[in-house]
Amino acid sequence: MIEGSVWKFGRDIDTDVIIAGRYCNIPDPKELAKHVFEDLDPTFASRFVPGDVIVADSNFGCGSSREVAPLCLKAAGVAAVAAPSFARIFYRNSINIGLPIFEIPDIAKFFEQGQKVRIDPATGLVTNLSTSQSFTAAPFPEFMEKIMAAGGLVNYASERLGGSKA
Amino acid sequence: MGMTMTEKILAAHAGLSEVRPGQIINAKVDLVLANELSAIVAIEEFGKIRGADKVFDPGKIVIVPDHFTPNKDIQSAKVAKAVREFARKHETLYYEVGRMGIEHVLLPEQGLVRPGMLVIGGDSHTCTYGGVGAFATGVGSTDVAVAWALGEVWLKVPPTIRIEFRGKKQPWVSGKDMILYAIGKLGVDGGIYSALEFTGEAISELTVAERLTMANMAIEAGAKNGIFAVDAKTEEYVKNATDKPYTVYASDPDAQYAQTIVFDMAEIEPQVAFPHLPSNTKPISQVGEVEIDQVVIGSCTNGRIEDLRVAASLLKGKKIHPKVRCIVIPGTQKVYMQAMKEGLLETFVEADCVVSTPTCGPCVGGHMGIMAENERCVSTTNRNFIGRMGHVTSEIYLASPAVAAATALAGKVMDPGEIK
């Protein structure tokens, strides 16, 4: 069960503001996490509490394909992102690396900054604990469920290859 | 029931006789691209795939270090070194500094992407190759790593939105203006998860370079891919680049489109996308007074020889505005050489522009033209997000090479038609 405070964002949050291009030669997600959302709010990284949740409006993660965007959110301790829609590459990347994302129509209208949220990843049930309203995320297609069940795309590929390397 | 060309390419690579939008397929890839920034993460993930000691086919993997190269600092040099060592170890296709170019200018030029191919790349602008009738889409580094191992990618078949441009281009209107106009109408998520198929009289009249420019920015409408029918111009372009074979797929007359959008070329002026979204477009006649500090002409969107010719035609024999810095970045070594032979580089330098070696450089906020606070740039690149080219308060205005060159001369955003 995921439970934490809400960090609210608007629509069309691009991967450049999640992690600026100038940091994209740093491969260590923990180092990148120090600069997450720096260009929108330079204090974000120091204020964000691991386990908290991002609720955003439509088209979250648009722009660059940089996988370091979901990687640094995960490294910063973002427990989940809920939005009405995600840009497609960000969506794939999140599934592939195991950042929990939840697609729920109009979700941004029902959350304010700092409210408490509970998410059951198994059922996709998202509850605003401050208002007691509940929402259900769109189920993932069966194929994506398989990737997630395998623990990400790398494990899925390992299974396909029947490999034994640790 | 008929299929669109996107659906036909996907079906052929999934070993199926037909596919429908929404269907999830496992498709064989003809080419997997990575730049140094996506490759460095992919190499890490590749190492975690149990049983993947070798790449599936070194001849179908291409790595182009173009983002922060020539290495801008020690950290970038370390990344480039690790990527170079991986490419050598696995004997992939690899284009080193001095032999390279910006990936999406380089691959079509080298004939590595051809009609009917299925290409994925660890770079969102991989969708550029729809300009030559390929299915091409951007993915993340884990997808790249898995494709290196398996030679396959999972894809959801996108619905196709047909975008028809009726009529003929007005003076100084280019493919860049047409795609900016379309993104302005669609919004940055108007094409989300979809294929954008560009058709119409004005499209037939575009050069292949302009089609590549348009397909390049399909991602800026949120699309999975942008695609153009293969015609005589495409075939001539591809045959000039390579003698390798290719397959032409055409949309059926009874193909199913999610939507058809018609644009009238009479309505389309040169366009400028204001900060901070590519959809925030205005026609040049409504721009007003916008003073500019810097102009960038180049990138995977507009770094081709045709783009440099247009810019040079405006700059020839003139000096740029005294307070403007103008940075010209030929897309590849070949473009650079051709521009030299045609005297374009001389035109740029005489006009007080700086000419750079091929690099993504300022477009991705790396180097070669980063902005300080409150500076403004007109750029032929593809994104004007907050902080994309430097300081968080700096501003990027996206435009065509013609508008960019006119702006460099005027010191403010300028209609090329006004330059005498």
Side-chain angles (χ1 to χ4, degrees):
Chain A
M1 199 68 73
I2 296 164
E3 205 170 308
S5 296
V6 166
W7 294 75
K8 183 79 183 290
F9 287 86
R11 57 168 299 144
D12 305 321
I13 296 296
D14 61 78
T15 52
D16 272 83
V17 296
I18 296 174
I19 185 72
R22 60 186 175 275
Y23 296 122
C24 286
N25 58 359
I26 304 172
D28 178 10
K30 286 205 166 56
E31 195 56 38
L32 289 168
K34 294 177 187 167
H35 304 287
V36 64
F37 287 119
E38 189 174 276
D39 285 356
L40 278 189
D41 176 2
T43 69
F44 181 90
S46 58
R47 293 189 298 127
F48 186 83
V49 180
D52 282 355
V53 169
I54 289 173
V55 176
D57 209 337
S58 303
N59 200 27
F60 188 84
C62 64
S64 160
S65 65
R66 61 191 65 165
E67 194 161 300
V68 286
L71 279 172
C72 84
L73 290 176
K74 200 177 165 191
V78 172
V81 185
S85 62
F86 292 87
R88 59 162 285 275
I89 306 177
F90 185 90
Y91 182 95
R92 285 184 81 94
N93 287 344
S94 298
I95 302 281
N96 289 345
I97 66 140
L99 173 72
I101 55 170
F102 299 90
E103 221 171 38
I104 306 167
D106 295 329
I107 190 71
K109 289 183 191 159
F110 298 100
F111 281 92
E112 299 299 332
Q113 173 78 21
Q115 287 183 329
K116 299 291 173 197
V117 60
R118 180 190 291 153
I119 302 177
D120 182 349
T123 61
L125 189 72
V126 175
T127 307
N128 185 332
L129 297 174
S130 304
T131 65
S132 302
Q133 286 173 299
S134 285
F135 313 87
T136 307
F140 291 102
E142 195 185 332
F143 181 79
M144 284 174 229
E145 292 276 10
K146 263 194 233 172
I147 294 173
M148 289 186 281
L153 191 66
V154 160
N155 288 347
Y156 174 81
S158 298
E159 286 176 12
R160 286 275 310 275
L161 287 168
S164 57
K165 195 170 78 181
Chain B
M1 200 164 54
M3 287 193 284
T4 67
M5 63 187 294
T6 292
E7 288 158 5
K8 285 185 181 178
I9 297 171
L10 293 177
H13 288 80
L16 300 168
S17 57
E18 68 167 41
V19 296
R20 292 293 161 210
Q23 188 176 343
I24 291 180
I25 57 166
N26 234 1
K28 294 213 179 306
V29 294
D30 296 315
L31 193 71
V32 186
L33 164 71
N35 58 56
E36 84 274 24
L37 298 183
S38 57
I40 193 71
V41 179
I43 290 166
E44 171 94 12
E45 296 306 305
F46 184 77
K48 294 179 192 165
I49 302 171
R50 297 183 298 278
D53 301 316
K54 287 193 299 190
V55 297
F56 83 105
D57 183 343
K60 292 182 177 174
I61 294 172
V62 57
I63 299 177
V64 186
D66 60 357
H67 273 52
F68 291 173
T69 54
N71 302 322
K72 76 182 182 82
D73 53 22
I74 294 169
Q75 182 56 33
S76 302
K78 284 182 181 174
V79 167
K81 183 166 184 261
V83 168
R84 180 183 308 116
E85 283 166 1
F86 179 89
R88 285 193 181 145
K89 179 182 170 196
H90 291 279
E91 299 177 320
T92 73
L93 300 173
Y94 174 75
Y95 289 86
E96 186 55 275
V97 168
R99 300 81 165 166
M100 50 74 82
I102 299 169
E103 49 196 331
H104 310 307
V105 184
L106 183 73
L107 267 54
E109 171 196 289
Q110 297 291 318
L112 286 170
V113 293
R114 303 181 293 280
M117 286 177 73
L118 192 153
V119 183
I120 63 166
D123 189 281
S124 60
H125 294 108
T126 301
C127 53
T128 305
Y129 315 133
V132 291
F135 174 89
T137 193
V139 295
S141 294
T142 298
D143 276 314
V144 166
V146 168
W148 282 349
L150 301 180
E152 289 178 6
V153 64
W154 70 266
L155 292 166
K156 189 152 93 174
V157 178
T160 298
I161 299 173
R162 192 168 162 274
I163 300 183
E164 185 183 338
F165 288 88
R166 278 194 196 151
K168 290 185 187 299
K169 285 195 292 191
Q170 296 188 57
W172 295 109
V173 169
S174 67
K176 179 65 168 285
D177 302 292
M178 291 161 68
I179 190 66
L180 285 174
Y181 181 86
I183 294 164
K185 295 291 178 195
L186 286 167
V188 286
D189 64 349
I192 198 164
Y193 292 97
S194 302
L196 303 182
E197 187 175 315
F198 299 101
T199 66
E201 182 189 357
I203 294 294
S204 313
E205 293 185 354
L206 292 180
T207 62
V208 171
E210 285 177 291
R211 297 176 196 178
L212 291 165
T213 297
M214 290 185 70
N216 173 273
M217 289 190 73
I219 177 72
E220 265 42 88
K224 178 170 246 164
N225 66 310
I227 201 159
F228 291 74
V230 175
D231 63 9
K233 283 182 190 171
T234 324
E235 299 215 42
E236 188 192 350
Y237 177 94
V238 174
K239 284 181 175 138
N240 275 336
T242 182
D243 52 11
K244 291 197 175 129
Y246 56 87
T247 311
V248 176
Y249 296 92
S251 293
D252 291 322
D254 61 342
Q256 300 287 304
Y257 292 95
Q259 203 182 342
T260 293
I261 300 169
V262 178
F263 294 130
D264 178 359
M265 292 303 295
E267 303 289 317
I268 305 180
E269 295 177 31
Q271 302 285 308
V272 179
F274 277 52
H276 292 283
L277 283 176
S279 57
N280 196 13
T281 53
K282 289 185 187 178
I284 193 79
S285 61
Q286 289 171 36
V287 161
E289 292 278 313
V290 182
E291 291 195 17
I292 291 294
D293 304 288
Q294 176 169 299
V295 169
V296 170
I297 299 170
S299 84
C300 61
T301 314
N302 281 122
R304 298 181 181 81
I305 190 68
E306 293 86 345
D307 301 312
L308 300 190
R309 284 178 190 143
V310 168
S313 74
L314 285 151
L315 294 169
K316 190 161 179 63
K318 300 194 177 77
K319 296 277 187 200
I320 61 169
H321 193 276
K323 74 171 191 62
V324 171
R325 313 177 296 268
C326 180
I327 300 157
V328 181
I329 311 177
T332 63
Q333 289 289 90
K334 192 174 170 187
V335 172
Y336 195 108
M337 187 69 92
Q338 184 64 28
M340 196 184 316
K341 285 181 185 160
E342 294 182 19
L344 309 183
L345 302 189
E346 194 177 331
T347 295
F348 294 133
V349 175
E350 283 186 342
D352 293 345
C353 304
V354 66
V355 180
S356 162
T357 187
T359 180
C360 302
C363 176
V364 68
H367 60 161
M368 287 303 297
I370 301 305
M371 286 189 284
E373 61 269 27
N374 302 317
E375 289 194 317
R376 286 194 191 130
C377 179
V378 163
S379 182
T380 67
T381 56
N382 43 53
R383 290 191 175 132
N384 54 355
F385 298 148
I386 292 169
R388 173 89 178 174
M389 201 181 279
H391 195 275
V392 62
T393 60
S394 63
E395 294 183 342
I396 304 164
Y397 296 73
L398 303 175
S400 69
V403 171
T407 299
L409 291 169
K412 58 186 180 180
V413 181
M414 184 53 66
D415 181 347
E418 298 291 317
I419 301 292
K420 302 296 170 211

